[in-house]
Amino acid sequence: MSQFNRRFFLKTSVAGVAGFSLTASTSKASVPLTFDQDDNILTRTLGNTGIRVPVLSMGVGGCDSPAVVRAALKSGITHFDTAHVYQGGNSEKMLGSIFREYPRESFTVATKVKQTQTREEFLRIFDESLARLQLDYVDILYLHSIKNRNEALDPGIMAILSEIKNSGRARHIGLSTHSNEPEVIQAAIDSDFYEVVLVAYNFKQDHAEEVRQKIRLAGEKGIGIVAMKVMAGGYLDKEKTREVNYRAALKWVLQEEHVSTTIPSINNLDQLKDNMQVLRSVELTGEEMNALELAGPEQGLFCNQCNECTGSCGHSLPIPDAMRAYMYAYAYGQTLKAQELLNNTGLDPDVCSSCPVCTVTCRKGFAVHEKLTEILRLQSVPKEFLT
Amino acid sequence: MKFHLAVLITFIGLSTLSGQSTTDFPRVPGWKLADSLQVYTQETLWEYINGAADYYLKFGFDSLVKAEYLKGDNEYIQAEVYYHHTDLDAFGIYSYEKQPEATVISVGIEGYTVHSVLNFYTANCYVKVHSHLQDEKTRETLLKISRKLAVELEAHPERPELLSLFPDFEKVIGSERYTPGDYLGYSFFTQVLSCDYTFGESGYTLFLVKHDSPEKATETIRKFLEYASIDNMGVTEGIISYNDPFNGLVTLIPEENYVLGIYGLDDEEFSQEFLLQFADYVQGF
């Protein structure tokens, strides 16, 4: 193993730059990248907060490159979403190191803190977030990942959030949710306290219409709505070979006027460039509309147990139970649970072979026959191989 | 018992997950290990760590197995084993989350403690052991669990060999990083190792982009040149300097299966000379 040349460092640290030769061919360039913003950026007001946000914002959960954040700012994105737990704190730290280069009024930032056992712990965590961000205040503080009405309306946590707001360290208070969304949004509406809701909302959700209606109700009450998980996982299939049309997915969400902005994860400069087009137009093109229609039936792994298929099978097989077993096996890796469920149905592993054509119809377009044949094989696997 | 090949392949895949979910968590006196483990997959990790899941998925996350140790009514310790695709992935997420103020300890390949949190990495696993209790006795228990778990996961762990490609002189200790993709915001910089160095009152970062062949390294150079709008005639043997408006001066050179780079200095000549020295070092490795 060769030794690193220390003589070079000693020479330069003492004498400054000495003359030295470089290899034959060198190339250099200084070319500005085209992330320039213009006056045609679409903005919406975030409920009654008064914050004017571009329709496209940036989720910083997965981005570790300051270059992408700087390019986003240059392109006209002004709202950034992070959380105390993202990247072990490095998401907030990265933003903090960049924000100090910009006037405070030129950007808005939201962070999130989860419920804690004590008031002191919550305040400690929030103050840690502020320190990482190198800010005196955040524009929005979300109560992170709320799953039901009780969590949202817990008087203890609302008192802590109120204390923080009154201290000026958070301009507005919100909550974030990606489960039981309609219930949680309704809780926010009923609270007369939460000013912003960050909610999972996308074109592939089974209950998208229900979520949208709650979004409208909240919006009409002056609650600002920010949409997340708008890419619905990013793929149409479980093998992850067919990508969702990102621009179409973003625009679909923004068709709802009460959604003020979206926070997709933007992890590199190419993604930023692709998404930037939405800053100027949310009108779905024909091609984009077709992409969404094609994507609609591609629901991936989950049967929503509507039971509408039950009568369409010639053998009256318990299709919903078998599809639930499929979900346990492929979505959660709980193969033992899947096998037990199948055993309880009494289904014969070869039951489908007697039908020349499958008559089962699924309103989500599941390939029921294919999935049924696949999951029934699990019954033949010895228990010791399963979890 | 007969299996169709497709069925066998399917269940080999599922059985791999089975092997990970039978992680043998150690028992410690005074604490009861909860009967059931919680397992999260790529599809369900979001339910546990919300938006933070995106970052773990970037680091080749495969599955998480979580155990709980209980004492009395309210006291608990949680042990989480994150299985990743490769050793570099586990190192990458560990090193990225490591706090500067943390105390580095010898558990697995390396670990650190801060408050009542002990994280370490070993083989392809990133392990987190933590408690809400802040007393010294609990911290000792965290260490005990971690040491036993580390041996269980990999009895003879080895630091990823590629980390030795960075020379020691003026290196910022503990600054090695692995980034699976999007390094410096470029989608074509994948599988990147980096390390920070001091230089006078400032510093710089050396990085290498790993490829399977010199041809693929050349391809990455071409993509960089295209991005930077540089005429790529004959540059694949030479040094490329680019004043990136968002990253500052970035300088690259191809070296066999690697693309080597440096950024953080404003001086082009220093950057190029340091990069050449790095190339010599890698060549002699």
Side-chain angles (χ1 to χ4, degrees):
Chain A
M1 187 185 301
S2 63
Q3 292 297 308
F4 199 64
N5 189 342
R6 297 180 183 223
R7 289 177 297 165
F8 172 77
F9 285 103
L10 290 173
K11 181 172 70 175
T12 55
S13 65
V14 171
V17 178
F20 53 81
S21 61
L22 302 171
T23 54
S25 60
T26 60
S27 301
K28 59 183 180 181
S30 178
V31 179
L33 295 174
T34 53
F35 287 105
D36 295 325
Q37 60 175 293
D38 55 42
D39 293 333
N40 296 323
I41 290 176
L42 298 173
T43 60
R44 294 179 181 176
T45 305
L46 189 60
N48 289 343
T49 68
I51 299 174
R52 196 84 187 151
V53 285
V55 293
L56 177 71
S57 298
M58 182 171 170
V60 195
C63 175
D64 56 18
S65 167
V68 179
V69 177
R70 291 194 181 96
L73 282 160
K74 190 173 197 307
S75 70
I77 290 174
T78 60
H79 182 66
F80 297 85
D81 182 276
T82 184
H84 180 269
V85 294
Y86 287 172
Q87 300 175 38
N90 285 318
S91 172
E92 289 177 326
K93 286 179 187 173
M94 177 184 66
L95 288 176
S97 69
I98 296 167
F99 284 156
R100 61 186 183 181
E101 302 168 11
Y102 295 83
R104 182 59 181 93
E105 62 274 12
S106 66
F107 62 88
T108 57
V109 62
T111 194
K112 313 179 193 77
V113 176
K114 288 190 174 184
Q115 276 179 311
T116 55
Q117 290 193 335
T118 67
R119 167 184 169 276
E120 289 70 28
E121 182 68 4
F122 193 96
L123 293 175
R124 182 192 72 76
I125 291 171
F126 174 65
D127 285 339
E128 190 171 54
S129 285
L130 277 184
R132 289 171 180 169
L133 290 164
Q134 300 186 47
L135 297 173
D136 296 326
Y137 68 90
V138 293
D139 298 273
I140 304 168
L141 169 60
Y142 292 113
L143 187 58
H144 198 173
S145 187
I146 297 305
K147 295 180 181 56
N148 55 58
R149 184 181 180 83
N150 287 344
E151 286 183 1
L153 300 182
D154 178 273
I157 196 64
M158 288 171 70
I160 299 170
L161 293 168
S162 191
E163 177 186 338
I164 290 174
K165 183 176 175 181
N166 291 338
S167 73
R169 290 177 291 160
R171 291 279 169 92
H172 304 282
I173 300 296
L175 54 75
S176 74
T177 178
H178 48 81
S179 56
N180 281 337
E181 296 91 348
E183 176 180 321
V184 175
I185 297 174
Q186 187 61 52
I189 292 169
D190 295 339
S191 72
D192 286 327
F193 175 72
Y194 294 104
E195 302 163 83
V196 187
V197 171
L198 170 58
V199 58
Y201 177 51
N202 62 67
F203 72 101
K204 276 177 70 176
Q205 281 171 314
D206 292 335
H207 58 314
E209 180 55 29
E210 197 181 351
V211 176
R212 188 179 69 84
Q213 289 188 16
K214 290 297 182 183
I215 286 174
R216 284 196 165 179
L217 284 175
E220 285 161 7
K221 208 183 167 188
I223 294 176
I225 302 293
V226 179
M228 65 168 164
K229 296 190 85 173
V230 298
M231 304 302 181
Y235 293 92
L236 300 172
D237 57 341
K238 74 175 189 295
E239 293 80 17
K240 298 185 180 179
T241 61
R242 297 170 57 195
E243 277 192 5
V244 163
N245 183 314
Y246 280 21
R247 277 203 297 277
L250 281 170
K251 289 180 180 181
W252 184 91
V253 168
L254 290 166
Q255 299 311 297
E256 173 46 57
E257 60 176 357
H258 289 296
V259 173
S260 299
T261 191
T262 62
I263 53 162
S265 284
I266 302 175
N267 298 332
N268 60 56
L269 295 166
D270 288 334
Q271 283 179 358
L272 176 60
K273 272 195 167 180
D274 280 345
N275 288 333
M276 270 168 62
Q277 296 182 34
V278 176
L279 282 171
R280 290 163 184 80
S281 171
V282 298
E283 196 175 320
L284 280 162
T285 66
E287 185 186 341
E288 288 165 347
M289 288 174 70
N290 286 339
L292 290 181
E293 283 175 353
L294 287 171
E298 295 281 347
Q299 290 296 337
L301 300 171
F302 307 113
C303 164
N304 68 356
Q305 305 291 300
C306 69
N307 287 300
E308 288 183 15
C309 60
T310 311
S312 59
C313 170
H315 292 281
S316 299
L317 298 180
I319 306 292
D321 288 340
M323 291 300 101
R324 199 160 75 248
Y326 187 94
M327 181 188 72
Y328 287 143
Y330 282 100
Y332 297 102
Q334 295 174 357
T335 50
L336 190 60
K337 190 169 182 176
Q339 188 185 68
E340 286 167 0
L341 179 56
L342 289 171
N343 290 342
N344 288 341
T345 64
L347 284 168
D348 183 331
D350 291 324
V351 65
C352 288
S353 60
S354 62
C355 289
V357 173
C358 183
T359 57
V360 175
T361 53
C362 169
R363 70 177 169 92
K364 288 179 65 171
F366 265 132
V368 173
H369 177 257
E370 177 192 307
K371 286 177 167 44
L372 192 57
T373 310
E374 211 173 310
I375 195 59
L376 286 176
R377 290 171 182 156
L378 186 59
Q379 291 176 284
S380 306
V381 178
K383 276 191 171 48
E384 52 264 33
F385 288 117
L386 305 178
T387 59
Chain B
M1 190 174 299
K2 274 189 191 175
F3 287 95
H4 294 288
L5 181 61
V7 173
L8 188 61
I9 290 170
T10 300
F11 289 108
I12 285 172
L14 292 171
S15 295
T16 301
L17 193 60
S18 163
Q20 293 173 353
S21 71
T22 58
T23 306
D24 204 2
F25 287 88
R27 297 187 184 270
V28 286
W31 292 84
K32 179 183 180 314
L33 182 59
D35 290 332
S36 62
L37 304 174
Q38 290 169 274
V39 179
Y40 296 90
T41 65
Q42 292 172 358
E43 286 77 20
T44 60
L45 184 64
W46 244 89
E47 296 173 16
Y48 183 51
I49 60 174
N50 308 301
D54 287 342
Y55 206 65
Y56 278 73
L57 292 170
K58 187 173 167 173
F59 279 91
F61 169 81
D62 187 65
S63 64
L64 161 64
V65 183
K66 180 181 155 194
E68 229 173 31
Y69 294 81
L70 305 167
K71 186 158 76 172
D73 292 329
N74 297 315
E75 297 175 357
Y76 66 85
I77 291 173
Q78 289 181 340
E80 303 165 359
V81 180
Y82 292 79
Y83 289 90
H84 292 263
H85 289 158
T86 69
D87 295 12
L88 271 178
D89 285 327
F91 164 74
I93 185 75
Y94 161 83
S95 61
Y96 195 71
E97 289 197 343
K98 189 167 73 175
Q99 303 297 315
E101 68 273 20
T103 303
V104 176
I105 57 173
S106 176
V107 177
I109 298 174
E110 184 189 286
Y112 68 86
T113 63
V114 59
H115 303 307
S116 280
V117 170
L118 193 161
N119 296 343
F120 70 91
Y121 82 102
T122 186
N124 64 323
C125 301
Y126 176 36
V127 183
K128 300 182 172 188
V129 186
H130 55 96
S131 174
H132 63 110
L133 300 168
Q134 299 290 321
D135 59 282
E136 188 56 37
K137 208 158 182 288
T138 302
R139 283 196 275 272
E140 287 171 6
T141 305
L142 298 186
L143 186 57
K144 200 175 292 185
I145 292 171
S146 299
R147 288 202 193 285
K148 289 186 179 186
L149 194 49
V151 172
E152 166 67 25
L153 292 170
E154 176 54 66
H156 304 288
E158 289 182 5
R159 195 165 178 262
E161 193 183 11
L162 283 174
L163 294 176
S164 303
L165 283 174
F166 291 104
D168 290 331
F169 184 67
E170 302 284 39
K171 180 195 286 186
V172 176
I173 302 297
S175 67
E176 295 97 336
R177 296 278 184 273
Y178 171 70
T179 305
D182 301 327
Y183 187 70
L184 297 182
Y186 300 127
S187 58
F188 45 81
F189 277 176
T190 60
Q191 298 188 78
V192 180
L193 285 152
S194 63
C195 191
D196 296 337
Y197 289 82
T198 57
F199 180 58
E201 290 185 4
S202 61
Y204 59 91
T205 300
L206 293 177
F207 63 91
L208 64 89
V209 188
K210 177 177 168 295
H211 292 284
D212 295 332
S213 66
E215 291 73 32
K216 289 191 176 167
T218 302
E219 183 56 29
T220 292
I221 293 279
R222 282 194 209 288
K223 286 179 182 172
F224 181 82
L225 293 170
E226 184 184 334
Y227 190 85
S229 301
I230 299 174
D231 180 354
N232 65 6
M233 295 289 289
V235 297
T236 53
E237 292 80 39
I239 298 176
I240 302 113
S241 287
Y242 173 53
N243 275 317
D244 184 325
F246 307 113
N247 286 302
L249 180 65
V250 178
T251 309
L252 304 180
I253 190 171
E255 179 62 38
E256 296 177 6
N257 288 11
Y258 304 110
V259 171
L260 306 181
I262 183 172
Y263 75 95
L265 292 175
D266 294 330
D267 189 296
E268 193 175 313
E269 287 181 1
F270 272 130
S271 294
Q272 291 176 356
E273 183 58 27
F274 289 178
L275 190 56
L276 287 171
Q277 297 285 354
F278 182 34
D280 286 343
Y281 187 82
V282 169
Q283 210 175 48
F285 187 73

